Amino acid sequence: MVPGEENQLVPKEDVFWRCRQNIFDEMKKKFLQIENAAEEPRVLCIIQDTTNSKAVSERITLNLPASTPVRKLFEDVANKVGYINGTFDLTWGNGVNTADTAPLDHTSDKSLLDANFEPGKKNFLHLTDKDGEQPQMLLEDSSNVDDGVHDRFIGPLPREGSVASTSDYVSQSYSYSSILNKSETGYVGLVNQAMTCYLNSLLQTLFMTPEFRNALYKWEFEESEEDPVTSIPYQLQRLFVLLQTSKKRAIETTDVTRSFGWDSSEAWQQHDVQELCRVMFDALEQKWKQTEQADLINELYQGKLKDYVRCLECGYEGWRIDTYLDIPLVIRPYGSSQAFASVEEALHAFIQPEILDGPNQYFCERCKKKCDARKGLRFLHFPYLLTLQLKRFDFDYTTMHRIKLNDRMSFPEELDMSTFIDIEDEKSPQTESCTDSGAENEGSCHSDQMSNDFSTDDTVDEGICLESSSGSEKISKPGLEKVEMAETDQRKDSIQFQLGEPNSLMYELFSVMVHSGSAAGGHYYACIKSFSDDQWYSFNDQHVSRITQEDIKKTHGGSSGSRGYYSSAFASSTNAYMLIYRLKDPTRNAKFLEVDEYPEHIKNLVQKERELEEQEKRQREIERNTCKIKLFCLHPVKQVMMENKLEVHKDKTLKEAVEMAYKMMDLEDVIPLDCCRLVKYDEFHDYLERSYEGEEDTPMGLLLGGVKSTYMFDLLLETRKPDQIFQSYKPGEVMVKVHVVDLKAETVAAPVTVRAYLNQTVTEFKQLISKATHLPADSMRIVLERCYNDLRLLNVPSKTLKAEGFFRSNKVFVESSETVDHQAAFTDSHLWKLLDRHANTIRLFVLLPEQSPGSYSKRTAYQKAGGDSGNVDDDCERVKGPAGNLKSVDAILEESTEKLKSLSLQQQQDGDNGDSSKSTETSDFENIESPLNERGSSTSVDNRELEQHIQTSDPEHFQSEERSDSDVNNDRSTSSVDSDILSSSHSSDTLCNADSTQIPLANGLDSHSITSSRRTKANEGKKETWDTAEEDSGTDSEYDESGKSRGDMQYMYFKADPYTADEGSGEGHKWLMVHVDKRITLAAFKQHLEPFVGVLSSHFKVFRVYTSNQEFETVRLNETLSSFSDDNKITIRLGRALKKGEYRVKVCQLLVNEQEPCKFLLDAVFAKGMTVRQSKEELIPQLREQCGLDLSIDRFRLRKKTWKNPGTVFLDYHIYEEDINISSNWEVFLEVLDGVEKMKSMSQLAILTRRWRPAEMKLDPFQELVLESNSVDELREKLSEISGIPLEDIEFAKGRGTFPCDISVLDIHQDLDWNPKVSTLNVWPLYICDDGAVIFYRDKTEEVMELTDEQRNELMKKESSRLQKTGHRVTYSPRKEKALKIYLDGAPNKDVAQD
């Protein structure tokens, strides 16, 4: 290699190092830039969108370098929120720089630091409207307006939260504000009320039809003759004017539907668009009678066709002329798996004649015999506007459900109808004709041989209703009459063909109404071509967008490949349903009226609607600038917190807002205006956040932080007395409600509110409270209630309130007495016990029964052990007052309460003294005696007198009530059953709150309550045993096995005072207002109520009343009242409470052949271990007394009840809990027998059978069969015995549903699964394993009665009425569709015909 060449190829060493150094310098420079950027302070910007441009207010956060220009901030915000930069303002929020309210300059090159943004802190900004105009939304592709993805809406809009398929259509985000701006297309949409898309599609099609719109504008409304609200043409005029002139994106259709006589429920009914078209045209014809537009519908939409039958032997032809408004085209012929490929093919099939031969031969009146004939349809006249209905809804006889046919059917943009007029039969010399008598059938055209519609209810009437003073008159079509003519030339004269130019029957497509969905429901929208610019548009409710011819082709339907009969199930569900063509005739094709061509009344209407729209826009602007916030006020007199909503314009000052709130709360006559002010308030925490001193002239929009949909705080209208001054509330303060506790009086005072700071110490906080309550700070104890029942003593002087757990709103209790209680541990102190009791005390309202217990004291005297007749008279005398009459209940209760209070105090002082020789069988109150000798005589007499007042027993079964539980268990046949001692009346009306006074609390044990101790020395030596399994049964006994009370041993606070109910809350009844510790058990609570009810706790029941005024018995005696809350209501009813092992049972009578087979009889009590026969013996006297049923024990049975279904028959020797599972709130059937009980063993099976007689169309009454096994052969034999039907002709089926398994006689013969191929009853499809199954049977040789249409309709009405009364549906089909009706004179009459 040459040295010179080597030097050229290899770089020198210094060049290499120079290049390397340059790379390092560049890298170092970049690293320095990164390092400087990292060291540069950053600005945290929090921007709140306060405009109404979006349905949901957005909040974005940007973390930018401090050197970022302000204009770059605007660009970033615009990209984040989706607005066009320059169409919005940014102003300082309420976090920082609140003084600077001027908007930032979006073109400024100032850095954020120079623009007063603070690095390292939160900078709050508000995104607001610019110059009163809302920000403009940023479109992703604004250049392509015609085909832009945001402007096209082909197909139904997906529901919120659903996923849209972009292959079919593209969705767009929608908010209320979007309807305020008109579409780019210039057309206005219609708001979907709920399911009114079918209506919107038809209205838009009519609006885009020049001939219809122009004719509607020429009609003039006379307000003197008709109410504008109910005038359908006038409301259509208004709607069309708004569609043409409104600046909104979409308008409402509620005024139009109101003119139809529809209410809001109709918006939730989806109907067929073709049905609506027919019904609305009928209504317009009725409204336009005797006007210029009287024949408008017929002129535009009506055509004529001929329905003919021609004899193939003699050529004689009979025919009639029908009119039609639309032509129904079959998608797929009946029984075929191949659909028609195009509309033309379906039209040819429509007029294709059929041959009547064989059993379908036609009786020719010329031949005087049945002959083969040709039957078909011929078009005589096509309308100017041709409507084709594609019959996509069919009925699948395999599945017995409606289906939608989604097969492909193409349709041309131009349709030549001249090929569908056929005159071939006129050449036949044998043809004779018939003409109509002038009566024409107007409406939809139907071909008998092609129609495959299915209707499940022939009685449904669809159409319009004429409302008048005499009732509702239905408009029906005139009947068809056929008159025969003899001459062929008369037929030629009567038929007028549309002949002339070759293109005289050329039609152009301009509207395609599309249905997307299934036969059960879906969505309609319309694709319409504008005759102004020949552009296709999609009118999809509120969205209007441009579409192309390719989008129209997508509505042809269909799918790739062939799947046989069910191919349409796999095709797209979005396809054309109705097509509207217009005849191409330059002499008739009209253009839309220009503004200067409007009639004078339309010009006036346009001006009126514009003014209304401008007024609505101004009102909307006011609403957009109105702050709406919750307002509270504690009424200065009533002391009730009132709530309202304050709506104030953002430019109104605070002073003006106070005056508005003052009037809103109706305080004009209560307090002066200068004694009120508005403060920031947190209702959830009951916390006053701040006051607004010196800001009376500040606009409310600035104070509240702008106009928002919701605020994170509320406002409180605070009041003061004239001699007081308002306290200043500063941000950062915490509010403390201070309750002063008096240990001696055992009261907790109403709260005093003070404000403190979280950084204050406990010592400073005590000084603050001392000033507010005038209590000495040195001896003060402060207890913080952090949450429910969480009490914390603040005993560290230097600790801050924040460290102690204070929050925005707090509650503390303070006490400053000089007592030894300070030295005790807090949880052992009197203060803690008092506060603990205070936290757990609830207020209940108890409704007492009306009956006086005086009569019970007499009967109870007989029950006392060792008592004699002489004592009874003495006892009765003591109860009598001075006049010899019995004392009132109120007097007795007052005396008993006072005496029991004194007795409880005595018992507390010396609970061990007393007479232990008393029998436990006597009243527990008899065991409470005074321990003080000096008061022994008087107190014991008073105590016995009290005992007579409150003791009671069942008047008829008192002897068995005194028996021990062991005696009851030994002889269940003579034990007492549950029956109410007395009837009681009660009120379940809602009680008003009582006045909120301080609640005095009891000391130690019993100072303010009736004693809870029910034990005596005689009971102390006995061991209590508990059957824990019993608790699982849902019933708790008040007594243990030895009859001992199960009341709580620990004392719980109880205080009861008479209460007078307010008007409407049960006045006239006896009420108690009870303050009770909710940790008390139900048993102890009932014992406390004994003196007020006047009977023992075992002889009354407690019912809890819920907000719906429903009452439920509370039976678990060992459970506490923890589920109760303040101001709950309780109803007391007299009646024996359940004992251990007892269950309350509802007894209902089974009446198998009555319309209502289940009838409630009474409530009874069954006990564990009792036999069925014993329970029947106890039921007999109750049935006689309460129900008037005099039954012997062998003439009725008890059986299982599962809802309304009868089940297992209970045999007399069965034992509850052993053979029969029993539970609380159990239900049984009582069935009266016609003869001796046939059920003797559990291996037998009792079945209810019913014969179906198809020849008479009726069902026989139920008969019971008792089978010895589950054999089908035995069932057949027994059925043959009772019916006389030969064994081989017996067919049976199991009933469906709930007893009595009712079914319509029109359905029973084919709907049930007759004669199942099984040998035993306990296998599928019968599954009969228990008593009570229903079996229908019939004679298979008996034919079904043939019914005429009139008989069938009459029978259907009877069956429908019968099954509705019994609560059973006529069929198992889906809910009945509501017929579409338009009421010409307002709302429909509420009669049976309309329902």
Side-chain angles (χ1 to χ4, degrees):
M1 182 176 290
V2 181
E5 292 177 350
E6 182 180 357
N7 292 338
Q8 290 177 0
L9 293 174
V10 179
K12 294 182 179 180
E13 187 178 17
D14 59 340
V15 175
F16 173 77
W17 286 107
R18 196 184 311 122
C19 293
R20 185 177 178 183
Q21 187 64 37
N22 289 338
I23 294 173
F24 283 145
D25 290 342
E26 288 294 329
M27 293 177 63
K28 185 177 180 181
K29 185 177 179 180
K30 290 184 178 180
F31 282 135
L32 287 174
Q33 289 178 354
I34 295 173
E35 186 178 353
N36 291 334
E39 293 177 356
E40 181 182 359
R42 303 186 72 84
V43 176
L44 181 63
C45 302
I46 300 175
I47 301 99
Q48 179 71 47
D49 185 358
T50 62
T51 68
N52 287 334
S53 298
K54 297 184 178 180
V56 179
S57 180
E58 288 189 62
R59 181 173 181 172
I60 63 172
T61 302
L62 297 175
N63 192 4
L64 304 173
S67 60
T68 304
V70 173
R71 59 177 175 77
K72 184 65 169 62
L73 170 66
F74 273 86
E75 292 173 6
D76 291 346
V77 171
N79 290 332
K80 277 276 189 180
V81 297
Y83 294 152
I84 297 176
N85 192 13
T87 63
F88 60 87
D89 282 334
L90 292 179
T91 60
W92 289 108
N94 60 347
V96 293
N97 297 326
T98 54
D100 188 4
T101 58
L104 300 175
D105 184 6
H106 73 282
T107 62
S108 173
D109 288 326
K110 280 185 178 182
S111 68
L112 298 182
L113 196 61
D114 296 336
N116 298 327
F117 284 78
E118 297 186 30
K121 293 185 178 180
K122 295 179 180 179
N123 297 269
F124 292 92
L125 296 172
H126 285 161
L127 191 154
T128 62
D129 299 336
K130 188 176 183 65
D131 301 328
E133 295 293 332
Q134 288 185 356
Q136 297 180 19
M137 300 294 295
L138 183 66
L139 296 177
E140 292 183 8
D141 186 9
S142 58
S143 60
N144 189 5
V145 179
D146 292 339
D147 304 313
V149 79
H150 288 280
D151 280 332
R152 296 179 56 189
F153 301 97
I154 307 302
L157 294 176
R159 295 188 181 273
E160 194 171 330
S162 63
V163 180
S165 173
T166 55
S167 61
D168 291 332
Y169 52 85
V170 179
S171 177
Q172 184 185 44
S173 59
Y174 172 73
S175 64
Y176 176 75
S177 60
S178 66
I179 72 171
L180 305 179
N181 302 318
K182 199 168 185 177
S183 167
E184 296 286 342
T185 62
Y187 289 102
V188 179
L190 295 174
V191 176
N192 192 335
Q193 297 182 35
M195 300 176 72
T196 56
C197 52
Y198 67 99
L199 172 66
N200 293 348
S201 302
L202 180 61
L203 291 176
Q204 292 283 19
T205 298
L206 296 178
F207 171 73
M208 296 295 286
T209 306
E211 292 78 9
F212 185 88
R213 191 204 298 184
N214 296 345
L216 181 65
Y217 281 174
K218 291 178 182 178
W219 176 80
E220 184 173 1
F221 172 68
E222 298 292 340
E223 192 167 354
S224 58
E225 298 179 1
E226 189 178 7
D227 184 1
V229 175
T230 60
S231 175
I232 298 174
Y234 176 68
Q235 294 301 333
L236 283 177
Q237 264 188 2
R238 288 188 61 238
L239 183 74
F240 282 14
V241 165
L242 289 173
L243 286 173
Q244 194 167 356
T245 63
S246 177
K247 297 179 181 178
K248 297 180 181 179
R249 179 178 291 271
I251 57 177
E252 298 280 352
T253 58
T254 50
D255 290 338
V256 174
T257 55
R258 192 178 295 113
S259 70
F260 291 171
W262 295 359
D263 55 22
S264 58
S265 64
E266 290 286 348
W268 296 91
Q269 292 284 337
Q270 189 175 89
H271 294 288
D272 187 279
V273 67
Q274 183 268 342
E275 179 188 16
L276 172 69
C277 182
R278 177 176 59 81
V279 174
M280 192 165 74
F281 282 175
D282 287 346
L284 287 173
E285 284 184 321
Q286 294 296 324
K287 287 288 186 178
W288 277 336
K289 280 184 177 179
Q290 299 178 355
T291 66
E292 184 182 343
Q293 291 75 20
D295 203 37
L296 174 66
I297 302 300
N298 293 337
E299 290 175 357
L300 295 180
Y301 296 94
Q302 181 177 278
K304 291 185 179 181
L305 55 77
K306 183 180 72 171
D307 186 354
Y308 69 91
V309 180
R310 173 183 292 183
C311 177
L312 295 181
E313 293 189 13
C314 67
Y316 172 83
E317 183 177 287
W319 52 273
R320 65 180 180 184
I321 294 178
D322 292 337
T323 61
Y324 63 90
L325 296 179
D326 57 70
I327 302 174
L329 299 181
V330 175
I331 298 292
R332 196 163 58 194
Y334 179 73
S336 173
S337 61
Q338 188 67 34
F340 293 123
S342 64
V343 164
E344 297 95 323
E345 192 175 326
L347 281 168
H348 280 295
F350 185 84
I351 60 175
Q352 179 69 31
E354 65 171 328
I355 302 300
L356 303 179
D357 56 4
N360 296 325
Q361 279 188 327
Y362 166 73
F363 183 84
C364 178
E365 296 191 10
R366 173 178 290 182
C367 300
K368 301 299 181 184
K369 65 175 183 176
K370 285 189 174 184
C371 306
D372 291 348
R374 178 184 298 155
K375 183 180 185 303
L377 300 170
R378 292 196 189 97
F379 289 111
L380 305 181
H381 171 76
F382 288 112
Y384 177 69
L385 297 173
L386 179 64
T387 304
L388 304 179
Q389 180 202 3
L390 309 185
K391 300 180 65 176
R392 293 195 174 274
F393 299 111
D394 203 349
F395 192 83
D396 188 350
Y397 287 92
T398 305
T399 62
M400 300 302 288
H401 285 93
R402 289 182 63 190
I403 60 172
K404 182 184 177 185
L405 304 175
N406 294 311
D407 301 82
R408 176 180 175 81
M409 177 178 277
S410 63
F411 45 87
E413 189 171 1
E414 291 189 351
L415 179 63
D416 186 4
M417 296 297 293
S418 59
T419 59
F420 300 102
I421 292 180
D422 186 9
I423 57 173
E424 63 175 1
D425 290 335
E426 293 188 9
K427 300 175 183 178
S428 173
Q430 299 179 351
T431 299
E432 295 194 6
S433 62
C434 300
T435 185
D436 65 327
S437 61
E440 296 177 348
N441 180 29
E442 183 179 322
S444 297
C445 168
H446 296 281
S447 172
D448 293 341
Q449 76 272 22
M450 302 303 298
S451 177
N452 55 358
D453 283 344
F454 183 86
S455 175
T456 57
D457 190 352
D458 296 335
T459 63
V460 174
D461 175 61
E462 297 175 353
I464 63 171
C465 286
L466 293 175
E467 304 297 332
S468 62
S469 58
S470 60
S472 64
E473 178 185 357
K474 295 199 173 70
I475 304 300
S476 60
K477 302 302 176 187
L480 298 178
E481 297 179 3
K482 183 169 67 175
V483 179
E484 299 177 0
M485 306 296 292
E487 300 296 332
T488 305
D489 56 353
Q490 291 179 342
R491 170 179 172 268
K492 295 178 181 179
D493 294 338
S494 66
I495 302 176
Q496 299 179 3
F497 295 103
Q498 293 172 295
L499 301 176
E501 296 294 329
N503 295 331
S504 63
L505 290 181
M506 184 64 70
Y507 284 82
E508 62 176 326
L509 179 69
F510 79 96
S511 177
V512 180
M513 277 171 262
V514 183
H515 180 268
S516 175
S518 66
H523 176 70
Y524 284 100
Y525 65 96
C527 300
I528 306 173
K529 184 175 75 171
S530 171
F531 290 111
S532 301
D533 56 5
D534 286 337
Q535 171 66 46
W536 281 92
Y537 297 92
S538 169
F539 292 83
N540 194 344
D541 289 337
Q542 64 266 21
H543 299 282
V544 184
S545 57
R546 290 181 177 88
I547 56 175
T548 65
Q549 196 66 38
E550 290 300 316
D551 296 317
I552 300 298
K553 291 181 180 179
K554 291 179 182 178
T555 64
H556 290 177
S559 62
S560 59
S562 176
R563 296 177 183 265
Y565 185 80
Y566 291 100
S567 61
S568 64
F570 301 92
S572 171
S573 64
T574 301
N575 35 54
Y577 182 65
M578 270 185 70
L579 309 173
I580 302 184
Y581 288 83
R582 187 176 77 162
L583 182 67
K584 296 184 70 172
D585 185 355
T587 62
R588 296 185 62 184
N589 295 157
K591 294 184 178 180
F592 296 112
L593 290 177
E594 300 295 335
V595 177
D596 55 352
E597 297 175 342
Y598 287 167
E600 194 63 30
H601 64 275
I602 294 296
K603 292 180 180 179
N604 295 335
L605 183 59
V606 170
Q607 184 63 29
K608 178 182 176 182
E609 294 300 331
R610 280 179 179 169
E611 291 175 358
L612 289 175
E613 191 167 309
E614 287 298 322
Q615 181 181 350
E616 182 184 347
K617 184 177 180 181
R618 289 192 296 269
Q619 184 63 33
R620 206 164 49 238
E621 184 67 21
I622 294 173
E623 288 286 328
R624 197 167 61 87
N625 292 298
T626 299
C627 304
K628 300 177 181 179
I629 188 170
K630 274 187 179 182
L631 176 68
F632 294 89
C633 177
L634 182 64
H635 197 281
V637 177
K638 300 178 182 178
Q639 291 298 305
V640 175
M641 183 64 81
M642 301 180 294
E643 180 181 348
N644 213 320
K645 193 169 189 178
L646 179 63
E647 298 183 3
V648 57
H649 195 275
K650 67 178 183 179
D651 295 332
K652 293 281 186 182
T653 63
L654 176 62
K655 184 177 181 181
E656 293 172 314
V658 171
E659 187 174 353
M660 292 174 60
Y662 175 73
K663 294 178 180 178
M664 186 180 293
M665 292 299 182
D666 295 326
L667 300 180
E668 290 95 333
D669 300 329
V670 180
I671 196 170
L673 176 61
D674 58 0
C675 292
C676 301
R677 69 168 180 176
L678 286 175
V679 296
K680 194 174 180 181
Y681 176 60
D682 181 358
E683 187 262 343
F684 181 79
H685 296 100
D686 193 17
Y687 169 61
L688 298 172
E689 294 193 17
R690 60 160 297 188
S691 53
Y692 299 104
E693 286 85 2
E695 300 186 66
E696 287 76 12
D697 296 327
T698 304
M700 290 297 293
L702 189 59
L703 281 180
L704 300 178
V707 180
K708 302 179 183 179
S709 56
T710 57
Y711 291 91
M712 300 301 293
F713 56 90
D714 313 301
L715 290 179
L716 174 71
L717 184 64
E718 192 179 19
T719 60
R720 63 173 174 85
K721 295 180 181 178
D723 58 343
Q724 293 177 331
I725 60 172
F726 282 122
Q727 183 181 353
S728 177
Y729 307 139
K730 298 178 182 179
E733 293 178 334
V734 295
M735 192 170 69
V736 184
K737 292 185 177 180
V738 181
H739 297 262
V740 178
V741 179
D742 188 339
L743 289 182
K744 292 183 179 179
E746 294 198 332
T747 59
V748 178
V752 176
T753 301
V754 299
R755 295 179 72 85
Y757 290 96
L758 291 176
N759 58 1
Q760 283 181 325
T761 63
V762 173
T763 301
E764 294 170 339
F765 185 51
K766 286 184 178 181
Q767 297 295 334
L768 183 64
I769 293 178
S770 179
K771 293 179 182 179
T773 61
H774 307 291
L775 295 176
D778 297 337
S779 60
M780 183 182 295
R781 284 188 293 176
I782 302 178
V783 179
L784 170 66
E785 185 180 81
R786 293 191 296 183
C787 58
Y788 168 70
N789 221 18
D790 182 9
L791 303 174
R792 180 171 184 174
L793 181 65
L794 308 184
N795 53 6
V796 182
S798 60
K799 209 169 184 180
T800 63
L801 300 187
K802 183 176 182 179
E804 291 286 5
F806 277 69
F807 191 56
R808 307 177 74 180
S809 182
N810 310 273
K811 178 163 59 169
V812 300
F813 301 91
V814 299
E815 187 272 331
S816 294
S817 62
E818 298 284 350
T819 62
V820 294
D821 196 55
H822 284 243
Q823 302 173 4
F826 176 58
T827 53
D828 297 330
S829 65
H830 189 190
L831 175 62
W832 184 87
K833 294 177 181 177
L834 193 62
L835 296 180
D836 177 67
R837 194 178 305 141
H838 171 76
N840 288 283
T841 299
I842 57 174
R843 180 175 63 182
L844 302 175
F845 294 98
V846 180
L847 177 63
L848 300 175
E850 287 186 334
Q851 283 70 27
S852 169
S855 57
Y856 290 100
S857 60
K858 295 182 180 180
R859 288 193 292 269
T860 308
Y862 288 102
Q863 293 178 244
K864 298 177 67 64
D868 54 29
S869 60
N871 293 334
V872 175
D873 297 333
D874 296 338
D875 293 334
C876 293
E877 288 299 324
R878 281 196 293 271
V879 176
K880 294 182 180 180
N885 298 325
L886 291 175
K887 295 181 181 180
S888 67
V889 175
D890 294 336
I892 294 171
L893 295 183
E894 184 176 356
E895 291 179 15
S896 61
T897 303
E898 293 301 325
K899 290 172 182 177
L900 279 174
K901 285 181 180 179
S902 61
L903 289 175
S904 63
L905 287 173
Q906 297 168 21
Q907 187 183 25
Q908 178 190 353
Q909 296 169 10
D910 190 0
D912 295 334
N913 294 333
D915 186 4
S916 61
S917 62
K918 295 266 185 180
S919 171
T920 58
E921 299 287 341
T922 59
S923 170
D924 289 335
F925 285 98
E926 205 170 23
N927 300 328
I928 304 174
E929 294 190 1
S930 172
L932 304 177
N933 295 331
E934 61 269 25
R935 299 184 55 190
S937 59
S938 62
T939 305
S940 60
V941 172
D942 293 340
N943 189 22
R944 283 192 296 272
E945 180 182 342
L946 169 64
E947 173 197 37
Q948 300 303 319
H949 293 341
I950 66 175
Q951 273 194 314
T952 187
S953 175
D954 191 311
E956 295 183 10
H957 305 285
F958 63 89
Q959 293 181 355
S960 61
E961 287 299 325
E962 283 299 304
R963 302 172 66 187
S964 66
D965 285 348
S966 58
D967 294 335
V968 174
N969 289 328
N970 292 335
D971 187 6
R972 287 290 181 180
S973 63
T974 58
S975 66
S976 171
V977 295
D978 177 46
S979 61
D980 289 341
I981 297 178
L982 292 171
S983 62
S984 63
S985 63
H986 59 281
S987 169
S988 56
D989 296 334
T990 304
L991 285 170
C992 299
N993 292 334
D995 53 349
S996 55
T997 57
Q998 63 182 22
I999 304 173
L1001 300 176
N1003 57 9
L1005 288 177
D1006 296 308
S1007 62
H1008 289 285
S1009 67
I1010 300 172
T1011 179
S1012 63
S1013 174
R1014 300 292 303 265
R1015 301 187 63 179
T1016 63
K1017 286 198 172 184
N1019 292 331
E1020 289 176 0
K1022 295 185 179 180
K1023 182 180 179 181
E1024 296 182 355
T1025 58
W1026 305 101
D1027 185 2
T1028 56
E1030 184 65 17
E1031 298 178 5
D1032 298 332
S1033 69
T1035 306
D1036 297 318
S1037 173
E1038 189 173 352
Y1039 302 95
D1040 64 8
E1041 293 180 355
S1042 61
K1044 195 185 318 181
S1045 170
R1046 291 180 62 174
D1048 272 356
M1049 297 304 104
Q1050 182 185 359
Y1051 170 77
M1052 293 294 175
Y1053 176 72
F1054 179 96
K1055 181 178 183 296
D1057 297 306
Y1059 173 75
T1060 303
D1062 295 336
E1063 183 178 354
S1065 299
E1067 65 272 21
H1069 297 283
K1070 298 182 182 67
W1071 288 90
L1072 290 179
M1073 183 169 63
V1074 177
H1075 292 93
V1076 63
D1077 193 317
K1078 62 183 178 182
R1079 294 169 296 185
I1080 195 173
T1081 62
L1082 178 63
F1085 179 67
K1086 290 182 66 177
Q1087 291 167 12
H1088 284 308
L1089 288 176
E1090 283 180 350
F1092 303 98
V1093 181
V1095 298
L1096 294 175
S1097 61
S1098 59
H1099 287 81
F1100 67 83
K1101 297 174 282 187
V1102 176
F1103 289 83
R1104 183 173 180 178
V1105 183
Y1106 290 85
T1107 53
S1108 58
N1109 287 336
Q1110 287 184 304
E1111 296 183 356
F1112 293 94
E1113 185 179 1
T1114 305
V1115 296
R1116 290 184 175 269
L1117 297 173
N1118 61 341
E1119 288 189 356
T1120 66
L1121 303 185
S1122 57
S1123 63
F1124 287 77
S1125 57
D1126 273 332
D1127 297 339
N1128 279 171
K1129 291 194 300 181
I1130 288 175
T1131 299
I1132 303 298
R1133 291 183 182 172
L1134 297 178
R1136 185 171 69 77
L1138 297 177
K1139 294 183 178 180
K1140 183 179 180 181
E1142 293 182 337
Y1143 300 87
R1144 200 174 307 281
V1145 179
K1146 291 185 180 297
V1147 181
C1148 301
Q1149 186 175 1
L1150 177 63
L1151 304 166
V1152 293
N1153 287 309
E1154 296 293 330
Q1155 184 173 331
E1156 179 52 57
C1158 179
K1159 176 185 176 183
F1160 174 76
L1161 294 178
L1162 50 81
D1163 281 328
V1165 172
F1166 292 176
K1168 183 172 70 172
M1170 179 186 289
T1171 64
V1172 172
R1173 186 174 184 86
Q1174 288 173 344
S1175 63
K1176 288 168 64 176
E1177 290 173 348
E1178 293 191 353
L1179 281 175
I1180 289 175
Q1182 297 180 68
L1183 293 170
R1184 186 184 305 113
E1185 296 166 10
Q1186 299 182 35
C1187 308
L1189 292 175
D1190 193 2
L1191 302 173
S1192 64
I1193 195 167
D1194 295 325
R1195 283 294 183 266
F1196 73 95
R1197 65 159 66 130
L1198 299 179
R1199 64 190 305 168
K1200 183 179 179 180
K1201 179 179 183 291
T1202 307
W1203 193 28
K1204 293 184 179 181
N1205 298 311
T1208 307
V1209 175
F1210 298 150
L1211 305 181
D1212 284 352
Y1213 57 82
H1214 283 163
I1215 300 175
Y1216 295 116
E1217 199 65 40
E1218 293 182 10
D1219 303 312
I1220 303 170
N1221 292 328
I1222 187 170
S1223 61
S1224 58
N1225 298 320
W1226 200 43
E1227 294 185 354
V1228 297
F1229 268 129
L1230 182 149
E1231 185 178 9
V1232 180
L1233 300 175
D1234 296 330
V1236 180
E1237 175 65 80
K1238 298 178 182 178
M1239 290 289 291
K1240 304 295 183 182
S1241 168
M1242 288 296 292
S1243 62
Q1244 294 175 311
L1245 195 63
I1247 292 178
L1248 294 168
T1249 63
R1250 198 170 189 186
R1251 180 173 179 178
W1252 158 239
R1253 298 181 182 270
E1256 303 175 36
M1257 298 294 285
K1258 74 172 187 178
L1259 287 162
D1260 286 353
F1262 278 104
Q1263 288 180 280
E1264 185 181 72
L1265 287 183
V1266 177
L1267 305 179
E1268 300 299 327
S1269 66
N1270 59 2
S1271 169
V1272 171
D1273 293 337
E1274 183 184 358
L1275 173 63
R1276 291 178 181 275
E1277 292 172 2
K1278 294 280 181 126
L1279 292 175
S1280 179
E1281 289 178 11
I1282 62 174
S1283 64
I1285 302 174
L1287 187 63
E1288 62 273 10
D1289 295 333
I1290 289 282
E1291 288 187 339
F1292 70 92
K1294 183 183 177 182
R1296 297 174 180 169
T1298 307
F1299 184 82
C1301 306
D1302 261 330
I1303 186 172
S1304 171
V1305 296
L1306 296 172
D1307 301 330
I1308 186 173
H1309 201 73
Q1310 65 272 5
D1311 278 9
L1312 294 183
D1313 185 12
W1314 290 97
N1315 212 27
K1317 305 300 182 183
V1318 293
S1319 58
T1320 59
L1321 301 177
N1322 58 354
V1323 297
W1324 185 87
L1326 297 178
Y1327 284 130
I1328 299 177
C1329 305
D1330 196 6
D1331 302 326
V1334 173
I1335 292 293
F1336 294 98
Y1337 67 96
R1338 68 185 180 188
D1339 185 347
K1340 70 177 183 180
T1341 62
E1342 192 174 341
E1343 296 292 334
V1344 181
M1345 177 192 294
E1346 293 187 6
L1347 301 173
T1348 64
D1349 290 343
E1350 184 178 350
Q1351 289 174 327
R1352 180 174 293 276
N1353 291 336
E1354 185 67 26
L1355 187 58
M1356 182 180 292
K1357 290 179 182 178
K1358 289 181 179 178
E1359 286 295 283
S1360 177
S1361 175
R1362 178 180 70 87
L1363 295 177
Q1364 284 176 1
K1365 288 178 181 178
T1366 59
H1368 289 75
R1369 294 186 299 174
V1370 179
T1371 64
Y1372 294 94
S1373 62
R1375 65 176 178 85
K1376 185 178 178 181
E1377 294 182 2
K1378 188 175 181 181
L1380 188 151
K1381 296 182 181 180
I1382 292 178
Y1383 306 92
L1384 298 184
D1385 293 315
N1389 290 336
K1390 300 296 183 182
D1391 54 19
V1392 177
Q1394 301 289 353
D1395 291 337

